[in-house]
């Protein structure tokens, strides 16, 4: 076969299959109100952003993640209050034509479970690390219903999504979520956006933080998109940035 024909075939193959890569384009806002913003990160993953008024940092935007397959969805972290959660649940039902199968708060702070009661009112089961249940109870927050220890795996449609505890960092109960089919990691407040400061450290384990994120990075070598607890999503460089930010060396 002439070389020119071989190159033409190779070009066609690259052109055709190049479009099969996961969607990592700029997020598209698909819903916005005064208290809730939802953006599409990929075909089946959406970031939800709500807001928390804090004494030290003012009004803070707080991230969560929705993953879905078919007519089922799983939510990582609730909006910061029940009204925001009501909007989120309604949008998933109307906008995605899906039911929320579960909600997973990734630690005990209000930016993760402040709207949990609304999920319970809708009959949506909640799962969290056993430490999160204990800390939520201790601090007077709504307590998640079901506990896990090291790792939780849930079916969502024909896919699976996970939550896993790798160690202490922002709090003693941080877990991260992973949606393997689209290589998306929800790092929650364990992971910082690029150029972020250390933020709130009142419940942190500064000595363990970097080593915990090193374990996260090793567990997900194929991660393509990383969503931090606050700020802009990125790629695996957010893991490297967080490790360096809290590194003891």
């Amino acid at each position: 076969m002439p070389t020119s024909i071989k190159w033409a075939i190779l070009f066609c193959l690259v052109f055709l299959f190049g479009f099969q890569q996961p969607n990592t384009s700029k997020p598209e806002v698909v819903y916005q109100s005064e208290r809730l913003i939802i953006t599409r990160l990929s075909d089946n993953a959406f970031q939800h952003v709500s807001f928390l008024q804090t004494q030290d940092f003012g009004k803070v935007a707080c991230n969560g993640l929705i993953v879905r397959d078919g007519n089922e969805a799983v939510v990582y972290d609730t909006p910061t209050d029940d009204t925001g959660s009501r909007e989120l649940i309604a949008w998933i039902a109307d906008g995605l034509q899906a039911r929320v199968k579960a909600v997973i708060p990734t630690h005990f702070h209000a930016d993760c479970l402040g709207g949990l009661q609304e999920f319970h009112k809708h009959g949506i089961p909640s799962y969290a690390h056993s430490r999160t249940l204990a800390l939520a109870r201790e601090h007077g927050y709504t307590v998640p219903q079901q506990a896990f220890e090291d790792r939780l795996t849930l079916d969502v449609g024909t896919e699976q999504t996970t939550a896993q505890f790798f160690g202490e960092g922002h709090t003693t109960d941080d877990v991260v979520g992973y949606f393997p089919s689209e290589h998306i990691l929800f790092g929650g407040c364990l992971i910082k956006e690029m150029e972020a400061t250390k933020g709130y450290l009142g419940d942190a384990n500064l000595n363990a933080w970097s080593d915990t994120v090193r374990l996260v990075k090793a567990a997900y070598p194929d991660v393509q998109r990383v969503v931090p607890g606050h700020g802009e999503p990125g790629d695996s460089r957010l893991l490297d940035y967080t490790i360096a930010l809290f590194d003891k060396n």
Side-chain angles (χ1 to χ4, degrees):
M1 180 182 295
T3 302
S4 59
I5 296 178
K6 290 181 179 179
W7 279 110
I9 293 173
L10 178 60
F11 175 80
C12 290
L13 290 173
V14 171
F15 180 81
L16 288 172
F17 289 102
F19 293 104
Q20 304 301 316
Q21 299 301 315
N23 179 8
T24 57
S25 58
K26 185 177 180 180
E28 169 199 2
V29 175
V30 294
Y31 177 86
Q32 185 166 0
S33 71
E34 290 186 1
R35 65 179 66 239
L36 183 67
I37 302 170
I38 302 173
T39 58
R40 181 190 297 272
L41 299 178
S42 66
D43 290 341
N44 293 294
F46 302 80
Q47 176 184 326
H48 66 82
V49 180
S50 56
F51 302 91
L52 184 68
Q53 189 66 43
T54 68
Q55 187 172 14
D56 295 332
F57 300 98
K59 187 177 182 180
V60 177
C62 307
N63 298 335
L65 184 70
I66 308 159
V67 298
R68 67 97 184 259
D69 185 66
N71 63 352
E72 292 185 338
V74 170
V75 175
Y76 290 94
D77 286 357
T78 76
T80 56
D81 60 29
D82 288 328
T83 303
S85 289
R86 193 175 309 123
E87 284 188 36
L88 180 66
I89 294 166
W91 180 82
I92 293 171
D94 297 337
L96 296 182
Q97 297 295 302
R99 70 178 182 90
V100 182
K101 187 173 184 178
V103 59
I104 306 171
T106 57
H107 65 277
F108 77 95
H109 287 163
D111 54 354
C112 297
L113 47 66
L116 185 57
Q117 186 174 355
E118 188 67 25
F119 283 83
H120 291 172
K121 285 182 179 179
H122 281 76
I124 297 167
S126 57
Y127 301 80
H129 194 274
S130 60
R131 295 186 183 192
T132 303
L133 270 69
L135 287 164
R137 188 175 294 111
E138 177 184 335
H139 287 81
Y141 295 129
T142 301
V143 179
Q145 295 168 329
Q146 301 185 51
F148 64 91
E149 294 302 327
D150 296 328
R151 180 183 172 93
L152 170 73
T153 300
L154 294 175
D155 293 330
V156 51
T158 60
E159 303 292 343
Q160 290 187 325
T161 194
T162 66
Q164 188 161 348
F165 177 75
F166 287 92
E168 301 181 3
H170 171 69
T171 60
T172 60
D173 63 323
D174 290 305
V175 302
V176 299
Y178 194 61
F179 191 42
S181 66
E182 302 202 1
H183 307 287
I184 292 180
L185 173 71
F186 180 63
C189 294
L190 182 68
I191 306 302
K192 295 292 184 177
E193 72 167 331
M194 296 299 293
E195 308 305 324
T197 62
K198 291 183 177 180
Y200 176 71
L201 302 176
D203 299 302
N205 184 336
L206 296 176
N207 292 325
W209 200 323
S210 290
D211 289 338
T212 298
V213 179
R214 286 189 180 95
L215 293 175
V216 174
K217 182 180 177 181
Y220 306 117
D222 60 346
V223 66
Q224 296 176 4
R225 177 99 62 176
V226 178
V227 181
H230 306 278
E232 294 296 320
D235 55 22
S236 62
R237 286 175 291 183
L238 271 65
L239 306 181
D240 295 327
Y241 177 77
T242 304
I243 290 169
L245 185 64
F246 294 100
D247 207 329
K248 301 182 292 293
N249 298 325

